[in-house]
Amino acid sequence: MAEIDANASVRCGVAGVGSLGQHHARIYASLPKVEFVGIFETDDVRAAEICAKHNCVRFDTLEALGAACDAVSVVVPTDLHERVALPLLAAGCHLLIEKPICASLAEAERVLAAAREHDRIVQVGHIEHFNPVMSFLEKEVVAPKFITAERLAPFTPRGTEVGVVLDLMIHDIGIVLQLVQSPVKKIESVGVSLVSKTEDIANARIEFENGCVANLSTSRMSLKKVREMRVFQESGYFSFDFMRQSGHLVRTTGLLDYAGKLRTGTVDPQDPTAVPLEPVPIEKGEPLALELAHFTASVAAASQPKVGGALGRQALEVAITITEQIRAAKQA
């Protein structure tokens, strides 16, 4: 895999400029050392809007888009990922495929096999890995013992071609796999369908070989958005809000000191400020912009991306196991 000339821009395109793909187009058009070439889009009105806004070309076929680009974002419904990715890889494009990598493991294997055959990068769009919160966790989390995650969102028809596990929970699955760094030992899952044909609310307990346990809850039937995670380890615990890019830590030493003061009555148990919380300094940023900047830099340098196909496939495998457990329980 050859690097792109240091003086050349990475030529980028987007396949699918709907509610999310339009932001890929916006960011590519603004990134330094990137030439935003054009799009493939089946909706005439949306295609005309994006081309006028960013002065780019609408291509009639995926093959034509691929021939004109070094790298392309695949931002179409999950069940179309393989169909869109394969011709782009055959045309010689590096790909950023929005999460999940595909709708099935068989599809994912074919896409990754094609990437190997054509010596192309596949980065999977697990966007939370580029949230500044995750950057802090990757540095500070060491041998986590217990992780809880809650991800809630209001209902929207977009994304219902898959269940809530593949739609939302897979974000937290990817984060947990990255933090724990241990094979999965056991998964126990429950879920219910309310307004779609697939699960709309789900909970999964994932036990790892190293003893860590993760409890993940997700819903697309909430009145508000929530993206929170807590990580417990011997040194204390971290509590983070991925949406607000904020958080705090509580050290074990501080908790022990607080408990001692409670026993001796030297602290008011009703005083929330007495709990030894330490704010975590986080430099906020737009995760998608950070993700696409990393992708284009990886393409230019011919280096493997932070969230490559292997992690994308592993997250998909766990998500499918959870989904299958939920559906098997419904049929029992």
mmCIF file of all heavy atoms in Angstrom, residues 177-202:
data_model
loop_
_atom_site.group_PDB
_atom_site.id
_atom_site.type_symbol
_atom_site.label_atom_id
_atom_site.label_comp_id
_atom_site.label_asym_id
_atom_site.label_seq_id
_atom_site.Cartn_x
_atom_site.Cartn_y
_atom_site.Cartn_z
ATOM 1 N N LEU A 177 -14.926 -3.215 24.170
ATOM 2 C CA LEU A 177 -13.919 -4.130 23.627
ATOM 3 C C LEU A 177 -12.541 -3.472 23.609
ATOM 4 O O LEU A 177 -11.531 -4.103 23.916
ATOM 5 C CB LEU A 177 -14.305 -4.566 22.215
ATOM 6 C CG LEU A 177 -15.522 -5.494 22.100
ATOM 7 C CD1 LEU A 177 -15.879 -5.699 20.634
ATOM 8 C CD2 LEU A 177 -15.264 -6.835 22.775
ATOM 9 N N GLN A 178 -12.495 -2.192 23.267
ATOM 10 C CA GLN A 178 -11.228 -1.473 23.210
ATOM 11 C C GLN A 178 -10.625 -1.286 24.596
ATOM 12 O O GLN A 178 -9.406 -1.392 24.782
ATOM 13 C CB GLN A 178 -11.446 -0.112 22.533
ATOM 14 C CG GLN A 178 -10.211 0.731 22.374
ATOM 15 C CD GLN A 178 -9.240 0.173 21.340
ATOM 16 O OE1 GLN A 178 -9.620 -0.660 20.527
ATOM 17 N NE2 GLN A 178 -7.996 0.630 21.381
ATOM 18 N N LEU A 179 -11.473 -1.009 25.593
ATOM 19 C CA LEU A 179 -10.975 -0.746 26.940
ATOM 20 C C LEU A 179 -10.571 -2.026 27.677
ATOM 21 O O LEU A 179 -9.582 -2.039 28.414
ATOM 22 C CB LEU A 179 -12.033 -0.003 27.754
ATOM 23 C CG LEU A 179 -12.384 1.420 27.301
ATOM 24 C CD1 LEU A 179 -13.484 1.999 28.187
ATOM 25 C CD2 LEU A 179 -11.162 2.326 27.325
ATOM 26 N N VAL A 180 -11.340 -3.096 27.495
ATOM 27 C CA VAL A 180 -11.107 -4.324 28.273
ATOM 28 C C VAL A 180 -9.956 -5.148 27.710
ATOM 29 O O VAL A 180 -9.165 -5.732 28.463
ATOM 30 C CB VAL A 180 -12.397 -5.157 28.355
ATOM 31 C CG1 VAL A 180 -12.154 -6.471 29.111
ATOM 32 C CG2 VAL A 180 -13.504 -4.359 29.040
ATOM 33 N N GLN A 181 -9.861 -5.237 26.388
ATOM 34 C CA GLN A 181 -8.767 -5.980 25.750
ATOM 35 C C GLN A 181 -8.674 -7.423 26.259
ATOM 36 O O GLN A 181 -7.618 -7.886 26.695
ATOM 37 C CB GLN A 181 -7.433 -5.249 25.965
ATOM 38 C CG GLN A 181 -7.324 -3.905 25.269
ATOM 39 C CD GLN A 181 -7.212 -4.039 23.764
ATOM 40 O OE1 GLN A 181 -6.449 -4.855 23.252
ATOM 41 N NE2 GLN A 181 -7.992 -3.252 23.044
ATOM 42 N N SER A 182 -9.805 -8.118 26.215
ATOM 43 C CA SER A 182 -9.841 -9.516 26.654
ATOM 44 C C SER A 182 -10.920 -10.232 25.855
ATOM 45 O O SER A 182 -11.946 -9.617 25.498
ATOM 46 C CB SER A 182 -10.146 -9.594 28.159
ATOM 47 O OG SER A 182 -10.303 -10.934 28.582
ATOM 48 N N PRO A 183 -10.748 -11.525 25.581
ATOM 49 C CA PRO A 183 -11.786 -12.272 24.867
ATOM 50 C C PRO A 183 -13.091 -12.321 25.660
ATOM 51 O O PRO A 183 -13.088 -12.340 26.890
ATOM 52 C CB PRO A 183 -11.183 -13.673 24.717
ATOM 53 C CG PRO A 183 -9.714 -13.484 24.862
ATOM 54 C CD PRO A 183 -9.551 -12.348 25.833
ATOM 55 N N VAL A 184 -14.197 -12.349 24.946
ATOM 56 C CA VAL A 184 -15.513 -12.461 25.577
ATOM 57 C C VAL A 184 -15.724 -13.903 26.043
ATOM 58 O O VAL A 184 -15.488 -14.853 25.301
ATOM 59 C CB VAL A 184 -16.621 -12.061 24.591
ATOM 60 C CG1 VAL A 184 -18.002 -12.336 25.183
ATOM 61 C CG2 VAL A 184 -16.490 -10.589 24.220
ATOM 62 N N LYS A 185 -16.151 -14.068 27.289
ATOM 63 C CA LYS A 185 -16.400 -15.387 27.862
ATOM 64 C C LYS A 185 -17.877 -15.770 27.802
ATOM 65 O O LYS A 185 -18.228 -16.898 27.470
ATOM 66 C CB LYS A 185 -15.924 -15.409 29.320
ATOM 67 C CG LYS A 185 -16.134 -16.729 30.032
ATOM 68 C CD LYS A 185 -15.614 -16.658 31.473
ATOM 69 C CE LYS A 185 -15.817 -17.963 32.217
ATOM 70 N NZ LYS A 185 -15.311 -17.861 33.621
ATOM 71 N N LYS A 186 -18.759 -14.798 28.110
ATOM 72 C CA LYS A 186 -20.181 -15.124 28.205
ATOM 73 C C LYS A 186 -21.010 -13.867 27.955
ATOM 74 O O LYS A 186 -20.622 -12.773 28.362
ATOM 75 C CB LYS A 186 -20.485 -15.688 29.601
ATOM 76 C CG LYS A 186 -21.920 -16.125 29.830
ATOM 77 C CD LYS A 186 -22.082 -16.650 31.253
ATOM 78 C CE LYS A 186 -23.492 -17.119 31.533
ATOM 79 N NZ LYS A 186 -23.644 -17.595 32.934
ATOM 80 N N ILE A 187 -22.146 -14.042 27.285
ATOM 81 C CA ILE A 187 -23.063 -12.935 27.033
ATOM 82 C C ILE A 187 -24.470 -13.363 27.429
ATOM 83 O O ILE A 187 -24.921 -14.465 27.085
ATOM 84 C CB ILE A 187 -23.061 -12.510 25.552
ATOM 85 C CG1 ILE A 187 -21.663 -12.042 25.132
ATOM 86 C CG2 ILE A 187 -24.083 -11.403 25.292
ATOM 87 C CD1 ILE A 187 -21.540 -11.723 23.648
ATOM 88 N N GLU A 188 -25.169 -12.491 28.164
ATOM 89 C CA GLU A 188 -26.569 -12.725 28.519
ATOM 90 C C GLU A 188 -27.360 -11.475 28.134
ATOM 91 O O GLU A 188 -26.994 -10.363 28.521
ATOM 92 C CB GLU A 188 -26.720 -12.996 30.021
ATOM 93 C CG GLU A 188 -26.016 -14.266 30.480
ATOM 94 C CD GLU A 188 -26.107 -14.468 31.985
ATOM 95 O OE1 GLU A 188 -26.213 -13.455 32.703
ATOM 96 O OE2 GLU A 188 -26.069 -15.629 32.429
ATOM 97 N N SER A 189 -28.437 -11.653 27.371
ATOM 98 C CA SER A 189 -29.132 -10.506 26.803
ATOM 99 C C SER A 189 -30.644 -10.621 26.942
ATOM 100 O O SER A 189 -31.201 -11.723 26.963
ATOM 101 C CB SER A 189 -28.803 -10.374 25.313
ATOM 102 O OG SER A 189 -27.436 -10.558 25.066
ATOM 103 N N VAL A 190 -31.287 -9.465 27.031
ATOM 104 C CA VAL A 190 -32.752 -9.384 26.992
ATOM 105 C C VAL A 190 -33.117 -8.171 26.150
ATOM 106 O O VAL A 190 -32.335 -7.226 26.015
ATOM 107 C CB VAL A 190 -33.388 -9.244 28.402
ATOM 108 C CG1 VAL A 190 -33.187 -10.500 29.216
ATOM 109 C CG2 VAL A 190 -32.814 -8.027 29.129
ATOM 110 N N GLY A 191 -34.323 -8.195 25.571
ATOM 111 C CA GLY A 191 -34.758 -7.066 24.776
ATOM 112 C C GLY A 191 -36.209 -7.202 24.384
ATOM 113 O O GLY A 191 -36.787 -8.294 24.451
ATOM 114 N N VAL A 192 -36.798 -6.082 23.986
ATOM 115 C CA VAL A 192 -38.213 -6.083 23.582
ATOM 116 C C VAL A 192 -38.392 -5.208 22.340
ATOM 117 O O VAL A 192 -37.659 -4.248 22.114
ATOM 118 C CB VAL A 192 -39.135 -5.561 24.705
ATOM 119 C CG1 VAL A 192 -39.108 -6.494 25.898
ATOM 120 C CG2 VAL A 192 -38.750 -4.154 25.125
ATOM 121 N N SER A 193 -39.389 -5.571 21.545
ATOM 122 C CA SER A 193 -39.801 -4.774 20.395
ATOM 123 C C SER A 193 -41.074 -4.030 20.764
ATOM 124 O O SER A 193 -41.994 -4.624 21.348
ATOM 125 C CB SER A 193 -40.062 -5.675 19.182
ATOM 126 O OG SER A 193 -38.915 -6.436 18.859
ATOM 127 N N LEU A 194 -41.115 -2.748 20.419
ATOM 128 C CA LEU A 194 -42.301 -1.951 20.733
ATOM 129 C C LEU A 194 -42.958 -1.381 19.487
ATOM 130 O O LEU A 194 -44.166 -1.531 19.295
ATOM 131 C CB LEU A 194 -41.933 -0.817 21.697
ATOM 132 C CG LEU A 194 -41.448 -1.253 23.082
ATOM 133 C CD1 LEU A 194 -41.046 -0.041 23.904
ATOM 134 C CD2 LEU A 194 -42.539 -2.049 23.808
ATOM 135 N N VAL A 195 -42.195 -0.721 18.632
ATOM 136 C CA VAL A 195 -42.796 -0.094 17.452
ATOM 137 C C VAL A 195 -42.182 -0.575 16.138
ATOM 138 O O VAL A 195 -42.718 -0.290 15.077
ATOM 139 C CB VAL A 195 -42.675 1.450 17.528
ATOM 140 C CG1 VAL A 195 -43.468 1.990 18.696
ATOM 141 C CG2 VAL A 195 -41.225 1.878 17.620
ATOM 142 N N SER A 196 -41.068 -1.278 16.204
ATOM 143 C CA SER A 196 -40.463 -1.790 14.981
ATOM 144 C C SER A 196 -40.483 -3.321 15.006
ATOM 145 O O SER A 196 -40.868 -3.933 15.993
ATOM 146 C CB SER A 196 -39.024 -1.276 14.852
ATOM 147 O OG SER A 196 -38.178 -1.877 15.805
ATOM 148 N N LYS A 197 -40.033 -3.924 13.906
ATOM 149 C CA LYS A 197 -40.026 -5.380 13.813
ATOM 150 C C LYS A 197 -38.846 -5.987 14.570
ATOM 151 O O LYS A 197 -38.806 -7.209 14.773
ATOM 152 C CB LYS A 197 -39.972 -5.799 12.346
ATOM 153 C CG LYS A 197 -41.218 -5.399 11.549
ATOM 154 C CD LYS A 197 -41.098 -5.835 10.098
ATOM 155 C CE LYS A 197 -42.326 -5.417 9.303
ATOM 156 N NZ LYS A 197 -42.234 -5.820 7.875
ATOM 157 N N THR A 198 -37.899 -5.161 14.957
ATOM 158 C CA THR A 198 -36.725 -5.637 15.672
ATOM 159 C C THR A 198 -36.733 -5.054 17.088
ATOM 160 O O THR A 198 -37.615 -4.288 17.451
ATOM 161 C CB THR A 198 -35.445 -5.198 14.937
ATOM 162 O OG1 THR A 198 -35.486 -3.782 14.740
ATOM 163 C CG2 THR A 198 -35.349 -5.873 13.584
ATOM 164 N N GLU A 199 -35.728 -5.419 17.892
ATOM 165 C CA GLU A 199 -35.703 -4.943 19.279
ATOM 166 C C GLU A 199 -35.485 -3.436 19.329
ATOM 167 O O GLU A 199 -34.664 -2.889 18.592
ATOM 168 C CB GLU A 199 -34.634 -5.684 20.092
ATOM 169 C CG GLU A 199 -33.198 -5.268 19.849
ATOM 170 C CD GLU A 199 -32.587 -5.832 18.585
ATOM 171 O OE1 GLU A 199 -33.245 -6.677 17.925
ATOM 172 O OE2 GLU A 199 -31.450 -5.434 18.239
ATOM 173 N N ASP A 200 -36.253 -2.768 20.195
ATOM 174 C CA ASP A 200 -36.144 -1.321 20.380
ATOM 175 C C ASP A 200 -35.510 -0.966 21.720
ATOM 176 O O ASP A 200 -35.047 0.164 21.913
ATOM 177 C CB ASP A 200 -37.525 -0.665 20.296
ATOM 178 C CG ASP A 200 -38.165 -0.861 18.931
ATOM 179 O OD1 ASP A 200 -37.521 -0.519 17.925
ATOM 180 O OD2 ASP A 200 -39.302 -1.372 18.868
ATOM 181 N N ILE A 201 -35.516 -1.906 22.652
ATOM 182 C CA ILE A 201 -34.889 -1.740 23.959
ATOM 183 C C ILE A 201 -34.086 -3.012 24.242
ATOM 184 O O ILE A 201 -34.581 -4.120 23.988
ATOM 185 C CB ILE A 201 -35.932 -1.522 25.079
ATOM 186 C CG1 ILE A 201 -36.759 -0.271 24.787
ATOM 187 C CG2 ILE A 201 -35.263 -1.411 26.446
ATOM 188 C CD1 ILE A 201 -37.922 -0.075 25.743
ATOM 189 N N ALA A 202 -32.873 -2.871 24.737
ATOM 190 C CA ALA A 202 -32.048 -4.058 24.980
ATOM 191 C C ALA A 202 -31.093 -3.840 26.138
ATOM 192 O O ALA A 202 -30.683 -2.709 26.426
ATOM 193 C CB ALA A 202 -31.257 -4.419 23.721
#
